[in-house]
Amino acid sequence: MDFINQMQGKQSVKYFATPLILEYASVCGSKENDGPLREHFDECCTDDMFGSDTWEKAESAMQKRTLETLFKKSGLKESDIKYIFAGDLLGQLIASTFGIIDYEIPFFGLYGACSTMGESLSLGSMAVAGGYAKKVITMASSHFASAEKTFRFPLEYGNQRPYSATWTVTGCGAVVLGESGNERLVPKAKIKGVTTGKIVDYGVMDSMNMGACMAPAAADVIRANLEDFNIKPDYYDRIITGDLGYVGQKILFDLLGAINIDITKNHMDCGIEIYDSEKQDTHAGGSGCGCSASVLCGYILEKISSGEWKRVLFVPTGALLSPVSFNEGQSVPGIAHAVIIENMEV
Amino acid sequence: MDFINQMQGKQSVKYFATPLILEYASVCGSKENDGPLREHFDECCTDDMFGSDTWEKAESAMQKRTLETLFKKSGLKESDIKYIFAGDLLGQLIASTFGIIDYEIPFFGLYGACSTMGESLSLGSMAVAGGYAKKVITMASSHFASAEKTFRFPLEYGNQRPYSATWTVTGCGAVVLGESGNERLVPKAKIKGVTTGKIVDYGVMDSMNMGACMAPAAADVIRANLEDFNIKPDYYDRIITGDLGYVGQKILFDLLGAINIDITKNHMDCGIEIYDSEKQDTHAGGSGCGCSASVLCGYILEKISSGEWKRVLFVPTGALLSPVSFNEGQSVPGIAHAVIIENMEV
């Protein structure tokens, strides 16, 4: 089957029939509304409850608004979509379960911590390129309050946060992936291939320093991508990690520098971009699977679509932490999934 | 791309290049050791802690033993496997994270509640049939004690259980899927196609009656499979649900009967088979994603491999419940994923 979808190297796939990003949408919360990327999101809701009575329902409501926006922007109907690949940070994926429950679309639930948008784009693009679906939706979300409650402390506790801590983004991003050809929609970008990450554990035990937990996984999957495709970092206009923040970025540069890979000139991190860290008191930056998902489905895809960036390696990064494993003394391993996204003219 | 992988109907895929089940393995706990299927599992560990000091680590240790058994039985090495698709019931999939952490294999984390083995077989077979991987592993596990602690009460509380309740199986099942041809391993079975389930919510609010929560989703995906492939129930030697138990089975028969689909003659439920309900005090039957996964990777694949059953529709069933959503008054929706597994001679 190698002629159909080239299997490139150990961890990667290069598509023969390149799946297209046909449309995208993003909805965020009030803190993102105050941040520097505000104009790039489809909507920022100043009510972080999104009209709901619990934080979890609020996250589901945000997912629904994102899907509504996606259907509106694309003009597509529910019946046009064969599968939805989605996930979030909450136990048993309840934000996604109740976010998509009103849609009659076959569902694959995914958990990759904050790397989930990379995982959903990878599996969604495999489904389209494999000929299993003409169109799929891939989506990920996080919500500051539901995540703090799950992983750290209830907001009412008012705990202090070290400078290494990141701020979970209240945000959701979703894209429609579709087959090449026969399409009335103008494609925004294409997915050339993916590199799937392994679990990488450096034994970090600090749940308030997610950047340090995730940086080794990001370094590993970026190295694998460059090796599998036999390319140099400057092949990409940008190599964009999910939510390493300032602390994780420095570790990433150090780890890659040690194996002679220099990405300092073209690296960007969604967690660093989404907030004005000094003005907004967000310490090391933004995090959560909604961070990379919402920045992709606005800022990044705008730049790729316009041609300002020809080729991007999108690398959402996840810390595989649960309150149970952490309190039982387990480390916080990381995982990251890389997706090659290109301008249509490339 | 239709010539490569036929897209059959709304929710299904029929493979052109049929992925093969090259090997399988299952490891269970002490209660399963006392049950009627004991001889079909590779191992039943009478120490439910699996040598660990927490229930969560025990579940991870059980996954490791299953993978070790799978590698031993197949003679394959870690480097032969391109991806692992795995999941469990715990928050943020920690049983799987720490179960596979020692293996250097790119990882897709999945959550489908007790339907996870169906989800992992679906995505794993798509990856193989799409030409993205020569071999993948798909796996799911559950553990009675880690699940009770997560979803209901700590074991020490000694709560009473209604007769509608099921007993979470301590078990893990894993298979190696591989491409057709060029293979020194003797294939055990093949995957002809899959039908992916939607979230189905009948508004059931009883977390002690999982059968009722999941039966509507099972009915929906079985109906979709029969419609998409234009076949009748007797096309299959067995239609095998994951863990509906006695209560859910009755509801399934009623729901399908109402649309003139009769599966009473060839239906089997893994949750009913795995325990002797009267002798073992397991009430409505077994449950958990380890239930269908372990029964598949023993009893079911033995029957298919031997030719006693030519064709099976394997339908793991999941209840999309979290303690948070349940305590916040949300219903318990269901999901189920169907996989067509055939004898090699068919």
Side-chain angles (χ1 to χ4, degrees):
Chain A
M1 298 283 288
D2 285 22
F3 68 96
I4 299 165
N5 288 296
Q6 285 176 258
M7 287 185 286
Q8 193 108 10
K10 289 184 187 171
Q11 295 178 233
S12 302
V13 165
K14 182 181 169 184
Y15 295 120
F16 176 82
T18 317
L20 307 177
I21 295 179
L22 298 177
E23 192 53 89
Y24 54 88
S26 53
V27 173
C28 290
S30 64
K31 199 163 184 102
E32 296 68 33
N33 192 42
D34 298 334
L37 300 188
R38 192 265 161 272
E39 64 185 291
H40 302 281
F41 304 120
D42 287 300
E43 187 188 358
C44 284
C45 190
T46 51
D47 168 23
D48 286 328
M49 294 298 283
F50 289 83
S52 308
D53 60 355
T54 72
W55 295 122
E56 291 75 19
K57 289 181 195 170
E59 189 172 342
S60 296
M62 180 173 64
Q63 283 200 2
K64 279 186 203 179
R65 299 254 285 249
T66 309
L67 288 172
E68 280 163 19
T69 308
L70 190 63
F71 281 114
K72 200 173 163 188
K73 283 174 76 173
S74 64
L76 294 170
K77 300 183 306 293
E78 198 175 330
S79 56
D80 294 323
I81 307 297
K82 184 151 179 193
Y83 303 120
I84 185 161
F85 296 79
D88 57 80
L89 295 178
L90 305 184
Q92 291 78 38
L93 302 188
I94 48 169
S96 302
T97 295
F98 293 101
I100 67 165
I101 197 166
D102 294 338
Y103 291 92
E104 295 252 329
I105 303 175
F107 169 52
F108 290 111
L110 309 179
Y111 186 80
C114 307
S115 75
T116 301
M117 195 63 186
E119 184 180 358
S120 66
L121 284 170
S122 298
L123 291 169
S125 58
M126 284 186 192
V128 170
Y132 309 126
K134 292 194 187 300
K135 291 188 191 70
V136 305
I137 286 176
T138 80
M139 177 169 72
S141 77
S142 57
H143 190 296
F144 173 72
S146 61
E148 283 295 302
K149 179 179 154 185
T150 297
F151 293 100
R152 295 178 195 91
F153 299 98
L155 297 187
E156 294 80 356
Y157 180 73
N159 69 304
Q160 288 206 315
R161 304 154 51 83
Y163 281 108
S164 62
T166 45
W167 188 280
T168 304
V169 166
T170 299
C172 179
V175 309
V176 177
L177 296 180
E179 284 186 325
S180 303
N182 286 326
E183 189 52 58
R184 63 170 180 76
L185 288 164
V186 179
K188 305 292 186 284
K190 57 188 177 186
I191 296 185
K192 180 175 177 176
V194 299
T195 304
T196 303
K198 298 176 279 193
I199 297 176
V200 180
D201 184 20
Y202 272 34
V204 182
M205 305 294 281
D206 185 356
S207 76
M208 291 292 191
N209 189 350
M210 293 298 195
C213 304
M214 299 185 288
D220 191 63
V221 83
I222 291 169
R223 175 204 54 75
N225 178 271
L226 300 175
E227 277 181 19
D228 284 355
F229 288 86
N230 194 23
I231 50 179
K232 303 279 176 200
D234 62 6
Y235 178 78
Y236 299 107
D237 291 303
R238 289 288 184 287
I239 294 174
I240 303 178
T241 48
D243 51 354
L244 296 182
Y246 294 101
V247 177
Q249 185 187 47
K250 190 172 177 314
I251 298 170
L252 177 67
F253 289 167
D254 286 350
L255 289 172
L256 287 176
I259 51 172
N260 296 315
I261 296 173
D262 181 5
I263 64 163
T264 55
K265 285 187 195 65
N266 56 348
H267 178 255
M268 180 189 121
D269 182 71
C270 300
I272 292 176
E273 302 298 320
I274 196 167
Y275 299 126
D276 183 327
S277 188
E278 283 194 22
K279 278 192 200 152
Q280 294 188 277
D281 194 30
T282 46
H283 298 194
S287 62
C289 40
C291 178
S292 56
S294 62
V295 174
L296 173 74
C297 296
Y299 187 71
I300 298 172
L301 284 172
E302 282 172 20
K303 298 259 188 207
I304 298 174
S305 174
S306 73
E308 186 176 336
W309 295 340
K310 301 286 185 211
R311 197 179 276 122
V312 159
L313 188 66
F314 178 60
V315 191
T317 39
L320 296 166
L321 155 79
S322 94
V324 174
S325 62
F326 182 72
N327 287 327
E328 287 178 355
Q330 304 251 59
S331 62
V332 186
I335 194 163
H337 298 298
V339 183
I340 305 173
I341 308 177
E342 290 182 342
N343 175 271
M344 288 303 295
E345 306 298 319
V346 173
Chain B
M1 298 282 289
D2 284 19
F3 66 97
I4 299 165
N5 288 295
Q6 284 175 260
M7 286 186 287
Q8 192 108 10
K10 288 184 187 171
Q11 295 178 233
S12 302
V13 165
K14 182 181 169 186
Y15 295 120
F16 176 81
T18 317
L20 307 177
I21 295 179
L22 298 177
E23 193 52 90
Y24 54 89
S26 53
V27 173
C28 290
S30 63
K31 198 161 184 104
E32 295 68 32
N33 193 42
D34 298 335
L37 300 187
R38 192 263 161 272
E39 64 185 292
H40 302 282
F41 304 121
D42 287 300
E43 186 188 1
C44 283
C45 191
T46 51
D47 167 24
D48 286 327
M49 293 299 284
F50 288 82
S52 309
D53 60 355
T54 71
W55 295 122
E56 291 75 19
K57 290 181 194 169
E59 189 172 343
S60 297
M62 181 173 63
Q63 283 200 2
K64 278 186 203 179
R65 297 251 289 247
T66 309
L67 288 172
E68 281 163 19
T69 308
L70 190 63
F71 280 115
K72 200 173 162 187
K73 283 174 76 174
S74 64
L76 294 170
K77 299 183 307 292
E78 197 175 330
S79 57
D80 293 322
I81 307 298
K82 184 151 176 192
Y83 303 120
I84 185 161
F85 296 79
D88 56 82
L89 295 178
L90 305 184
Q92 292 79 36
L93 301 188
I94 47 167
S96 302
T97 295
F98 293 102
I100 68 164
I101 196 165
D102 294 338
Y103 290 92
E104 295 253 330
I105 303 174
F107 169 52
F108 290 111
L110 309 179
Y111 186 79
C114 307
S115 76
T116 301
M117 195 64 187
E119 183 180 358
S120 66
L121 283 171
S122 299
L123 291 169
S125 58
M126 284 186 192
V128 170
Y132 308 126
K134 291 193 187 301
K135 290 188 192 67
V136 304
I137 286 176
T138 79
M139 177 170 72
S141 77
S142 57
H143 190 297
F144 173 72
S146 61
E148 284 295 302
K149 178 178 155 186
T150 298
F151 293 100
R152 295 178 193 92
F153 299 99
L155 296 188
E156 295 80 355
Y157 180 71
N159 68 305
Q160 288 206 316
R161 303 151 53 82
Y163 282 108
S164 62
T166 45
W167 188 280
T168 305
V169 167
T170 299
C172 179
V175 308
V176 177
L177 297 179
E179 284 186 324
S180 303
N182 286 326
E183 188 52 58
R184 62 168 182 76
L185 288 164
V186 179
K188 306 293 186 285
K190 57 189 177 186
I191 296 184
K192 181 177 177 174
V194 299
T195 303
T196 303
K198 298 177 278 193
I199 297 175
V200 180
D201 184 20
Y202 272 33
V204 182
M205 305 293 281
D206 185 355
S207 76
M208 291 292 190
N209 189 350
M210 292 299 192
C213 305
M214 299 184 288
D220 191 64
V221 83
I222 292 169
R223 175 204 54 73
N225 179 271
L226 300 176
E227 277 181 19
D228 284 356
F229 288 87
N230 193 25
I231 50 178
K232 303 280 176 200
D234 62 6
Y235 179 78
Y236 298 108
D237 292 300
R238 290 288 183 288
I239 294 175
I240 304 177
T241 48
D243 52 354
L244 296 182
Y246 294 100
V247 177
Q249 185 187 47
K250 192 172 176 316
I251 299 171
L252 177 67
F253 289 167
D254 287 350
L255 289 171
L256 287 176
I259 51 172
N260 296 316
I261 297 173
D262 180 5
I263 65 162
T264 55
K265 285 186 196 65
N266 55 349
H267 179 253
M268 180 189 120
D269 182 72
C270 300
I272 293 176
E273 301 297 321
I274 196 167
Y275 299 126
D276 183 326
S277 188
E278 284 195 20
K279 278 193 201 153
Q280 295 189 277
D281 194 30
T282 46
H283 298 196
S287 61
C289 40
C291 178
S292 57
S294 62
V295 175
L296 173 73
C297 297
Y299 188 70
I300 298 172
L301 284 172
E302 281 171 22
K303 298 262 190 205
I304 298 173
S305 173
S306 73
E308 186 176 336
W309 296 340
K310 301 287 186 210
R311 201 180 273 122
V312 159
L313 188 66
F314 177 60
V315 191
T317 39
L320 296 167
L321 155 78
S322 94
V324 174
S325 62
F326 182 73
N327 288 325
E328 286 178 356
Q330 304 250 59
S331 62
V332 186
I335 194 163
H337 298 297
V339 183
I340 305 173
I341 308 177
E342 290 183 342
N343 175 272
M344 288 303 295
E345 307 298 319
V346 174

